[in-house]
Amino acid sequence: MLTPPPSTSGDSHDFERVCTICGRPAFCRYYGAVSCEACKMFFRRMIVEKLSYKCKKINNCYVTSSGSPLKCRACRFKRCLQLGMKLPPSNYTTLELRNQKDDELNQLIKSLKARDDKRLEVFINFFTSQNPSLEEILSGTKLLQSEKLRSEVTPVEWSFSAIYSVLNLFRSFDFIEQLDAKDKKLLFQFNTFRSNVLCGGMRALKEQRDKMVTPSGQQIFPDILVTKFNASAELINRVCCQVVARLIELKVTDEEFVLLNLIFFCNTSDSLSDAAKSLLSSRQKFYVSALFQYCQLTYQKSAPSRLNDLLSVYHMGV
């Protein structure tokens, strides 16, 4: 279950009003009437569970209890109906739950896309001649100031910008802050390159290219990075081309990409502590669940196969 966003079901002019059923503070319009959470749930329960109550007096408790809480459930329900409260005529329980979950997913994806837009902006526009260590960047002990972008940026400089943009993206997540310094460093060492490959592949897909290049059109991984990641230039280029080809084949959407990027980044290595593995595993399951929910909404019955296809990108070297 995704973390529910704050309720926004009411109109702005309904704020700071009182419940038209019981007089408690109310801030939203529920089922057609300005009501509090308690009366909303009471009305929903009456309908869903098909409950029925009888007034012990003469069905006018709402009048006689003016100024005090309405305890008679029969009259309370009668008041709800008088105010025009109603649930959707059919499948209301399933529909309400589905709409709530869809809204949560939309909010999550919207937030992740905004973060990724910022990552891309940093990649394209951030430039520095400084050479900070990974520890300095992650701890924030060395603040980097963007300098004027040179007319000719080298592949090494583009590579640093790409790495820095990924570091900047993932260190902003709250669950990353729960890791200790050692685990955080190991996680970024293990997964930053993979994220860069996925981000580069997605950029190639959007630019309708069949391989990854820098924004200047240069070879994306210079020799110094090939040495750093202990792999041959041919291997890295082959992996990059395969990833681009797979993303193009699957026609990966922006929504799928931002979720995949988090899913892949949460992969753990044996060197991490048990606490870090447990935390990252739970977050990964959360984002996999969100991706599957997106697939269900977008591809219906083929959602399971679509999810497997998307997750298979990781095994291509990402």
Side-chain angles (χ1 to χ4, degrees), residues 62-226:
Y62 189 83
V63 176
T64 58
S65 65
S66 179
S68 61
L70 184 63
K71 297 181 178 180
C72 176
R73 288 175 287 191
C75 290
R76 187 182 184 187
F77 182 57
K78 178 182 176 182
R79 177 66 176 174
C80 292
L81 295 176
Q82 288 174 337
L83 290 169
M85 293 182 76
K86 60 181 179 179
L87 290 177
S90 62
N91 298 326
Y92 41 79
T93 306
T94 302
L95 178 64
E96 189 176 44
L97 179 60
R98 187 179 72 230
N99 288 342
Q100 179 186 347
K101 291 178 69 176
D102 292 352
D103 287 344
E104 294 167 11
L105 179 65
N106 288 335
Q107 289 298 320
L108 173 65
I109 291 177
K110 182 179 179 181
S111 171
L112 295 181
K113 289 173 73 173
R115 287 175 184 251
D116 192 69
D117 287 343
K118 185 177 180 180
R119 173 199 62 80
L120 186 59
E121 182 181 352
V122 170
F123 172 52
I124 298 297
N125 298 314
F126 183 86
F127 174 80
T128 181
S129 57
Q130 296 176 274
N131 186 28
S133 66
L134 176 60
E135 293 91 336
E136 289 174 327
I137 294 176
L138 294 180
S139 65
T141 56
K142 189 169 185 177
L143 300 178
L144 301 182
Q145 299 295 327
S146 183
E147 303 168 18
K148 184 177 180 180
L149 200 64
R150 295 175 183 169
S151 56
E152 293 186 5
V153 182
T154 67
V156 172
E157 291 166 337
W158 279 124
S159 295
F160 175 80
S161 291
I163 292 171
Y164 179 72
S165 69
V166 170
L167 296 177
N168 202 50
L169 167 66
F170 286 110
R171 68 176 178 168
S172 67
F173 284 90
D174 58 351
F175 70 91
I176 295 294
E177 288 304 312
Q178 297 177 42
L179 301 173
D180 63 31
K182 181 181 178 181
D183 282 328
K184 193 183 298 185
K185 180 181 177 181
L186 289 169
L187 177 68
F188 278 84
Q189 286 177 327
F190 184 63
N191 287 333
T192 297
F193 177 74
R194 297 169 184 272
S195 178
N196 262 320
V197 172
L198 182 61
C199 292
M202 195 64 188
R203 190 164 57 84
L205 182 153
K206 288 185 173 183
E207 295 174 355
Q208 298 184 332
R209 300 176 183 270
D210 59 1
K211 66 178 181 179
M212 301 181 203
V213 296
T214 70
S216 304
Q218 303 150 306
Q219 178 75 21
I220 195 165
F221 293 115
D223 292 341
I224 187 173
L225 284 186
V226 173

Side-chain angles (χ1 to χ4, degrees), residues 16-51:
E16 299 182 347
R17 295 179 61 172
V18 296
C19 177
T20 50
I21 295 127
C22 70
R24 295 187 185 95
F27 305 98
C28 293
R29 183 181 296 275
Y30 294 114
Y31 306 135
V34 176
S35 60
C36 64
E37 284 283 342
C39 286
K40 164 201 167 185
M41 296 307 297
F42 166 78
F43 176 74
R44 184 179 183 280
R45 187 169 61 252
M46 289 290 294
I47 298 294
V48 172
E49 298 180 16
K50 299 179 180 180
L51 301 176

Side-chain angles (χ1 to χ4, degrees), residues 218-288:
Q218 303 150 306
Q219 178 75 21
I220 195 165
F221 293 115
D223 292 341
I224 187 173
L225 284 186
V226 173
T227 303
K228 179 178 178 62
F229 290 109
N230 193 28
S232 68
E234 290 183 6
L235 175 60
I236 288 182
N237 286 329
R238 186 168 70 249
V239 167
C240 291
C241 289
Q242 288 175 341
V243 170
V244 173
R246 186 60 171 158
L247 294 177
I248 292 173
E249 178 189 0
L250 294 175
K251 297 179 181 178
V252 174
T253 66
D254 288 338
E255 293 81 3
E256 291 166 337
F257 160 67
V258 293
L259 288 167
L260 276 179
N261 203 12
L262 270 164
I263 291 169
F264 293 168
F265 195 82
C266 288
N267 274 325
T268 61
S269 66
D270 292 337
S271 53
L272 292 170
S273 68
D274 290 341
K277 291 177 183 177
S278 177
L279 173 63
L280 292 168
S281 177
S282 68
R283 298 309 298 176
Q284 188 176 60
K285 289 178 181 177
F286 173 84
Y287 291 117
V288 169

